[in-house]
């Protein structure tokens, strides 16, 4: 039968072993709670040789400090080039000459310890697959009518750069006292305005068109047909 002193020593050893198993003798937990450093937009869609601005967007966590700089790189060989803007929170990426899938990476001055890099995906597509659409595609102007100025909305698939230009195909319909195009929202929408019914009478005809053309791919465009009833 064990003596009281031997039982006491056994309990002490058990208690010490339990404390070590629970982490009392291990290393302290790293207090840093790293966030992620996203590259946006992602996925991005571009055509060969096109340029697009990307941003390094930090996912701020409890211990993550404010970033001051970022360096950029393209992960694939021959995957295009990237040039940081200013301190590097934004950068201009130039797509390669060949279609494909590529990845753009940004790393802060903290390396991987505070923000874990999350590369952005870039799809470089053939220009033949770019499509421009506009709504409405048909407009009827009635002399004596009333209401707000007609407004058109453009869309480009699948490009991330959705900027377009707006022009009248028949130039003789545009000018002082005739038709005026007023783009807005970084050229993705446009108003068509004219002075009054007298402007409609001065038009050289009753049918003209508005051309909506992709800035990145000039060969991709859509037309709005405008009919004038007077």
């Amino acid at each position: 039968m064990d003596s009281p002193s031997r039982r006491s020593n056994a309990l002490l050893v058990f208690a010490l072993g339990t404390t070590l198993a629970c982490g009392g003798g291990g290393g302290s937990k790293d207090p840093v709670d790293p966030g992620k450093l996203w590259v946006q937009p992602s996925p991005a869609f571009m055509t060969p040789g096109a340029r697009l601005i990307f941003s390094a967007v930090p996912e701020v966590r409890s211990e993550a400090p404010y970033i001051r700089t970022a360096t950029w790189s393209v992960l694939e060989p021959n995957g295009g080039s990237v040039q940081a803007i200013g301190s590097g929170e934004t950068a201009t990426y130039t797509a390669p000459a060949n279609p494909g899938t590529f990845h753009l990476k940004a790393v802060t001055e903290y390396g991987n310890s505070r923000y874990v890099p999350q590369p952005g995906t870039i799809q470089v597509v053939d220009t033949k697959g770019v499509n421009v659409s506009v709504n409405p595609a048909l407009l009827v102007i009635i002399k004596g009518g009333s209401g707000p100025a007609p407004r058109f909305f453009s869309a480009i698939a699948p490009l991330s750069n959705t900027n377009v230009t707006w022009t009248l195909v028949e130039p003789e319909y545009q000018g002082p006292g005739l038709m005026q195009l007023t783009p807005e929202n970084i050229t993705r929408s446009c108003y068509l305005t004219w002075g009054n019914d007298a402007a409609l009478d001065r038009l050289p005809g009753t049918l003209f068109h508005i051309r909506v053309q992709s800035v990145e791919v000039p060969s991709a465009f859509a037309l709005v047909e405008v009919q004038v009833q007077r």
Side-chain angles (χ1 to χ4, degrees), residues 14-32:
F14 175 78
L16 179 59
T18 303
T19 302
L20 292 176
C22 291
S28 61
K29 182 181 179 181
D30 186 352
V32 173

Side-chain angles (χ1 to χ4, degrees), residues 24-77:
S28 61
K29 182 181 179 181
D30 186 352
V32 173
D33 185 14
K36 296 178 180 179
L37 187 67
W38 304 96
V39 170
Q40 293 181 350
S42 180
F45 293 86
M46 305 172 63
T47 53
R51 293 183 176 182
L52 189 65
I53 293 178
F54 288 80
S55 299
V57 181
E59 176 191 42
V60 177
R61 304 289 290 274
S62 59
E63 299 293 336
Y66 179 76
I67 68 172
R68 296 185 301 273
T69 62
T71 56
W72 295 77
S73 61
V74 183
L75 298 187
E76 292 80 10

